[in-house]
Structure formats: structure tokens, C-alpha cells
Amino acid sequence: MSALRILVPVKRVIDYAVKPRVNKAQTGVETAGVKHSMNPFDELSVEESVRIREKNSAPGGVEDICVISAGPTKAADVLRTAMAMGADRGIHVDVKEGEDLEPLSVAKLLKATVEKEKSNLVILGKQSIDDDAAQTGPMLAGLLGWPQATQASKVVFGKGDTVEVTKEVDGGVETVRAKLPMVITTDLRLNEPRYASLPNIMKAKKKPLVKMSLSDLGVANERRLKVVKVTEPPPRKGGGKVEDVDGLISKLKELGAI
Amino acid sequence: MILSTARRTALRSVGALPRSTSVFSSPFNNPSALRRLLSSLAILEQRDGKLNHGSLSAITAAKKLGGSIHGFVAGSNIKPVAEEAAKVEGVEKIIAVDNAAYDKGLPENYAPLLVENIKKGGYTHIIAGHTAFGKSLLPRVAALLDSQQVSDITAIENENTFVRPIYAGNAIATVESSDPIKIVTIRGTAFPAAEAQGGSAAIEDGVDPKVEISTEWVSEDLAKSDRPDLATAGKVVSGGRGLKSKEDFDKIMLPLADALGAAVGASRAAVDSGYADNSLQVGQTGKVVAPQLYLAVGISGAIQHLAGMKDSKVIAAINKDAEAPIFQVADVGLVGDLFEKVPELTEKLKSS
């Protein structure tokens, strides 16, 4: 059984609890001065990687957990968080503010990293909560020609490099078995990410963090999609309240809902 | 093959023209020129030899694009599925691949299968639902074709331009694709499923590259329910943390659902607390629904939940907290204890 060399891509996004506002120029959402944090699904990926090591659940053991993020200088913050959660080291691919990569470019960048770092398992979040595209994981698997298991709620290692993954699908769950190397994307039910403790945050500051550029990895930021505009969704106005159940029923009838 | 190459070359040259060129900057103004160029492949889902009618939304989206429309199905004994899909009006051809290797929709062999058929057909647009199947498969196809997919679109502005929600539906982005092959997944609630009648498409065998894979399908566990399917139901009643336990969830929500003929949904809080099955979650990371009536019971209305239901025609809410954010979007709200109000509502609905 191969020892695991896990690559965990993480993304810095607007915090999930913040309600994003569209900017005045209608080119995107307002990001200046807005709280950012690690994409919640990526926290699950980091947690799962660390648990695989702690629980010794992979027969070949875990040799390395490397986290990677592509983004502006501040993306290094989420890498430090991931290292405080237990990742061994980080790679920060420096991309200027406002020059965000599309999922296909991220997948190409990750493919180059996988080859460079000799990773045999990539665990990604199923989607980032900003773009909501849900593409990078399967794209990477396609580029590498590796098996994939998306929306994982359970990951079990077996003999001979096999991995059994239970996936959340429409209407229930489905289990597939594949062989390493493979790509897994995480769903909410996979685990509950830990909080980084203060001593671990301090220790994380000493862990290696390498800075790279896109050209170091031989990838260009090639944009295929042009954002024509970004607008607020049509507002929904609350219709007020009723006093009792009878009021509710008559209002629903009036609205033609029942 | 010659035709398809010519078609793609023509499309590329269209893309290369300056945007001010009047004929092409708004292709919808010149539908006859468009129809010669544009051709869509709608990926249809099947399970156990039955066509998934929800997946016919892809054909509705293809109709909005204009141009020729082919449908794609694959699996064992695919003929009856292909015949049913062939009845959809406006579909020219159904490409069918009869091979049990594709029954479970494993992306490892299904993606190369699609790539071969896309190349052979020279399609300009590939459309599938933003379902578990589509989400797992299409990005893999897109990567193999070196195309940047556009996910979960809710509207089509023209052959290059699509509208999609981002940030949990808190912003709506209009994006224009420059890829020669556009790969899109569609939000089912934004494109009603085409009806399987009125058409008589030809059925043709697709190419089958028979890619060997090591991934195995092991098992599945699907929640059985006699109630309407959550994603397509006309009415949805949804319960949140306010239900307090699984017993209470079942005791309060199920009779209400039955009295209304509604599907049952749940908030993430209710699912995480074990009150309801994962597959019932409504929200950014669960199902997106847009029924005639969405009745939220004991749900506060976090933005991630609203992302999954705010396009409902009528939203009603029952919550004991008069300040709950759900009341800001609800067309009708009732402040009160759900353990009293919901059983009363259920009784009155039954007797009326």
C-alpha cells in the first residue's frame, strides 16, 4: 500500500455568514473590508486529511499533507489556518487581487502541482461558496485521468490501494470503490472540522510555506468567461403577518397557493 | 466529421469578429444564420431503464438556444428510454449507447464516452442538469475538451451569454463564454422539463469508446417516499431546528405535508441534528426548489437556506420569533408556537 501524499486545495472566500453586496459598478461583489475565511468545504478536506493520519486509517500511512491556495497575499492566512489544523506545509500561488482564476485554470495548476509533489490523493471541497461552480475536483480528475468521488460523506481505505467512498447523491447515498491515486470532493456530512488551538496556531507559523507564481507551475491565467455584469437578485418583500391559522389559510387561498 | 469541423471553424470565426459587428453581436436577431451553426446535445438521465423526466429540462434549455437539438442516453437496454426521449417535440435525434457499463453514470467512463460523441456530432452546446449526475460528470467532460463550464444557469441571453446565481444566490452574474464548445449545467427549477410528446426523433447508435476503468459502483441507499419529489414538487413544507427532535419532525411535518399533498424539506440545522434525512436539505448546498408554495416551519431563514427556496412563488412561514429573517421574505407569516399552530393548520386543511 502506498503511503499517502495528500494535496488539499483551499480557497479564501468571503465568510459564509456575511451577506455579500454587489458593487456599484456591477462588476462583482464588494470584497474590500469584508471578513474572509477558508471555504467551509475546504475545512472539511483539511480535517479529513488530518483524521486519516490521526486514526491511522490508511494502511500505508500518511507521509505528507500539503495545502495549496491560489490567490492574493492574504490567501496565505487560510494556508496558516490549515497548517494550524494539522497540515504539514503550504504552497501559496500568488495571484493578484481581482485576477481570480477560473476553475479550469485552477485544475491545470493543481495537475501541475500533483505531478511536482507526487501526490496520490487530492481532497477538495465540493464547491466554493463564492462562485458556487462545483467544477474544480472533477476537472482535475479528468485532466489527470484519475478516478473521482464527489460529495463524499464517508471515506474508507481498504487493501491494495482501494478507497471506498460514500457519496451524497439526489435522493440518498451511493458508494463507489476506486484505487489510488484518486480525487475526492467533500460534502458537509463528512466530518466536523476542528478549531485550531492557540498553541497549534503558533506552531503553524513555523511550518514551511512556499510562495510560487503561476509561471513556476507552467500555467497561464487564461480567462474563457467574461463577466458582463453582476446584479442584485430581484428583491423579495415580506408580505406581512397574520394573526392566526385561519388568517394564514385565507391569505394562502387569496395568493392562490392552496 | 468534415461538416462538424467546418461548423466549428465557422463558429470560431464568429467569435473572432469584433463585438460591434451588428449581425453577430446579437445572434438572436438573426435566427436563420444561427440555426445553421448552433447545435446542442442534451444529456438525459436514466435509472434502471427509465427515463428521468426531470432531465428533459436540458431540452427546454436547448430550445431556448435555437439550432438543432440532439438528446443523449446511455445504459443497458437503452432502446425504450431512447424511444421515450424521442417523443419530445423539437428533438431531431436521440443518440443512444447500449452498454451496461454506463448504467450507474460513473464519470470515469461516461465522460470519455460523451467526449467521443460530442466530437463526432460537432456540437456547439452541451447541456445537462445541475444534478448530482451532472455535477460529477460535466466538469470532467469540460476538462477533457478544454472548455470552461458554466454551472447552474438560470437563464440564457444568447448563444454565448448565460445568467447564473453566485454567492448563494445573493448576486446574479451574467457571463459570456468564448469557448468553441459551451458546456453548461442548468438549474432545473429555471427550465421546466420538456414534455415527452409531439415529437418523433430518429434514434441513432452513438460511438462507444469502451474505456476500461477501475472504479466500481458498490451500492446505493436511496430514501423511499410516496410523497412528491422535493426538487419538482408544486408544494413544499420544510422544517427546521424548531422541531426539536426526529419524532416531533415526523409527527408535525408529515401530516402537514400529506394534508397539502406536499414534499417534505428541511433546513441544514434539522438535517445536522438528525431530524431529517440529508437528501431533504434545502439550501445552497442541498436542493434548490421553486414550488408554488414553500411553507417554512421553525426555520429562521439563514442566507444559505434562502438560497435554496427564495424563488418559490409564495413563501409562508411559521416561527415563534417575530424577528426571524424568514419573515423578511415570506409573503405571509404567522408568529406562534409551531407545536400548536401546525397541528391546527393540518386539521383545518383536512376539513376544508
Side-chain angles (χ1 to χ4, degrees):
Chain A
M1 180 90 189
S2 324
L4 288 178
R5 292 185 59 82
I6 310 176
L7 184 70
V8 186
V10 296
K11 186 176 184 184
R12 177 177 176 266
V13 298
I14 291 182
D15 190 87
Y16 74 95
V18 174
K19 187 175 160 53
R21 302 271 171 211
V22 173
N23 65 19
K24 283 213 177 69
Q26 297 204 327
T27 54
V29 304
E30 208 59 75
T31 52
V34 175
K35 186 187 177 197
H36 283 65
S37 40
M38 195 192 304
N39 179 41
F41 293 100
D42 303 343
E43 293 185 354
L44 297 157
S45 313
V46 177
E47 177 67 33
E48 192 66 17
S49 312
V50 176
R51 284 191 193 188
I52 293 168
R53 168 183 281 155
E54 287 174 348
K55 295 191 171 165
N56 225 346
S57 51
V62 177
E63 188 181 304
D64 179 49
I65 301 172
C66 178
V67 285
I68 180 169
S69 192
T73 313
K74 283 184 176 165
D77 298 351
V78 297
L79 290 169
R80 289 289 175 206
T81 307
M83 288 189 274
M85 289 172 73
D88 301 321
R89 61 198 178 100
I91 300 173
H92 175 207
V93 183
D94 200 30
V95 178
K96 274 196 208 112
E97 190 93 50
E99 292 183 5
D100 322 355
L101 303 173
E102 289 172 355
L104 184 61
S105 302
V106 176
K108 288 176 181 174
L109 175 159
L110 293 174
K111 176 178 188 272
T113 311
V114 160
E115 284 161 1
K116 196 165 169 288
E117 301 295 337
K118 300 189 169 45
S119 317
N120 53 10
L121 177 62
V122 186
I123 309 182
L124 309 88
K126 73 164 176 179
Q127 74 191 68
S128 66
I129 60 165
D130 50 1
D131 192 38
D132 283 332
Q135 296 172 2
T136 308
M139 278 183 164
L140 174 63
L143 293 179
L144 289 163
W146 288 6
Q148 66 180 62
T150 48
Q151 300 186 223
S153 58
K154 194 176 176 194
V155 178
V156 179
F157 291 84
K159 282 182 189 151
D161 280 353
T162 59
V163 190
E164 215 169 86
V165 182
T166 301
K167 309 164 50 182
E168 303 266 327
V169 295
D170 301 332
V173 295
E174 177 184 88
T175 303
V176 294
R177 190 184 301 128
K179 268 190 164 183
L180 292 174
M182 77 178 294
V183 172
I184 295 173
T185 75
T186 59
D187 207 338
L188 280 175
R189 248 62 65 175
L190 183 60
N191 59 48
E192 211 158 300
R194 70 194 63 194
Y195 289 101
S197 67
L198 189 59
N200 285 340
I201 291 171
M202 300 311 287
K203 273 185 216 155
K205 288 184 179 169
K206 297 202 178 86
K207 290 184 178 177
L209 176 60
V210 178
K211 199 163 167 173
M212 294 189 118
S213 69
L214 286 174
S215 56
D216 292 339
L217 292 160
V219 179
N221 186 2
E222 190 188 2
R223 295 196 69 90
R224 311 289 186 81
L225 301 181
K226 187 177 110 190
V227 178
V228 180
K229 64 176 177 194
V230 175
T231 56
E232 296 272 355
R236 232 195 134 104
K237 254 203 247 146
K241 294 182 182 117
V242 291
E243 285 301 312
D244 52 25
V245 170
D246 291 324
L248 181 68
I249 292 174
S250 56
K251 189 73 194 284
L252 289 178
K253 281 187 176 152
E254 193 187 305
L255 292 168
I258 55 173
Chain B
M1 210 48 210
I2 291 164
L3 177 69
S4 70
T5 311
R7 187 187 273 155
R8 241 177 299 156
T9 312
L11 252 196
R12 276 204 199 96
S13 65
V14 170
L17 284 170
R19 298 219 52 75
S20 56
T21 311
S22 61
V23 174
F24 293 109
S25 64
S26 179
F28 279 12
N29 291 344
N30 193 345
S32 61
L34 187 66
R35 256 179 220 121
R36 281 203 305 273
L37 298 167
L38 207 156
S39 64
S40 298
L41 185 66
I43 316 302
L44 307 177
E45 299 184 32
Q46 63 99 17
R47 165 178 288 279
D48 303 332
K50 287 204 182 69
L51 179 69
N52 174 344
H53 281 250
S55 70
L56 296 179
S57 290
I59 291 174
T60 307
K63 282 182 179 170
K64 285 193 197 286
L65 280 163
S68 68
I69 303 170
H70 293 181
F72 185 88
V73 288
S76 51
N77 304 318
I78 202 68
K79 198 153 179 266
V81 180
E83 279 168 356
E84 203 181 347
K87 290 189 189 128
V88 179
E89 196 200 324
V91 177
E92 261 176 41
K93 199 189 279 178
I94 297 295
I95 313 284
V97 175
D98 197 321
N99 184 343
Y102 305 118
D103 276 345
K104 300 301 180 186
L106 294 171
E108 290 84 349
N109 60 0
Y110 209 117
L113 166 74
L114 271 179
V115 167
E116 287 308 308
N117 284 282
I118 291 164
K119 283 182 177 164
K120 186 184 172 213
Y123 302 103
T124 57
H125 291 73
I126 315 302
I127 310 167
H130 196 64
T131 56
F133 172 78
K135 277 191 272 192
S136 161
L137 175 66
L138 268 266
R140 193 163 175 125
V141 172
L144 294 175
L145 292 168
D146 197 37
S147 176
Q148 174 52 58
Q149 178 183 322
V150 186
S151 287
D152 202 18
I153 65 165
T154 51
I156 294 170
E157 285 206 345
N158 62 45
E159 65 169 296
N160 304 316
T161 314
F162 309 95
V163 178
R164 57 181 302 264
I166 53 174
Y167 290 92
N170 282 292
I172 309 296
T174 305
V175 296
E176 190 184 287
S177 163
S178 58
D179 280 318
I181 305 177
K182 272 101 179 135
I183 298 184
V184 299
T185 58
I186 55 164
R187 182 171 286 199
T189 56
F191 298 92
E195 281 195 49
Q197 56 184 33
S200 55
I203 297 173
E204 190 178 277
D205 286 338
V207 284
D208 187 354
K210 296 186 180 157
V211 171
E212 290 290 331
I213 56 166
S214 59
T215 308
E216 287 169 74
W217 183 90
V218 178
S219 63
E220 69 187 359
D221 182 11
L222 301 181
K224 299 267 181 300
S225 173
D226 299 331
R227 296 190 181 82
D229 175 54
L230 178 58
T232 54
K235 292 173 187 151
V236 173
V237 296
S238 213
R241 202 198 299 272
L243 270 308
K244 294 203 166 63
S245 72
K246 173 155 176 49
E247 290 67 40
D248 285 332
F249 191 98
D250 291 350
K251 196 176 77 191
I252 301 275
M253 297 304 293
L254 303 188
L256 174 64
D258 293 337
L260 279 166
V264 178
S267 70
R268 182 183 165 188
V271 170
D272 282 352
S273 307
Y275 306 170
D277 190 76
N278 297 348
S279 60
L280 300 187
Q281 185 180 322
V282 172
Q284 182 183 18
T285 61
K287 290 252 164 41
V288 177
V289 301
Q292 283 295 322
L293 170 65
Y294 188 88
L295 176 51
V297 175
I299 291 176
S300 65
I303 57 176
Q304 292 82 8
H305 186 75
L306 299 182
M309 46 65 89
K310 68 181 172 190
D311 292 328
S312 305
K313 301 287 175 298
V314 174
I315 298 173
I318 300 177
N319 204 299
K320 66 178 176 193
D321 175 10
E323 304 302 318
I326 191 78
F327 288 122
Q328 290 164 22
V329 299
D331 298 289
V332 47
L334 175 61
V335 179
D337 182 357
L338 68 92
F339 290 98
E340 284 171 28
K341 302 296 180 191
V342 176
E344 185 188 340
L345 175 63
T346 304
E347 281 314 306
K348 285 182 171 159
L349 286 169
K350 271 200 249 171
S351 59
S352 70

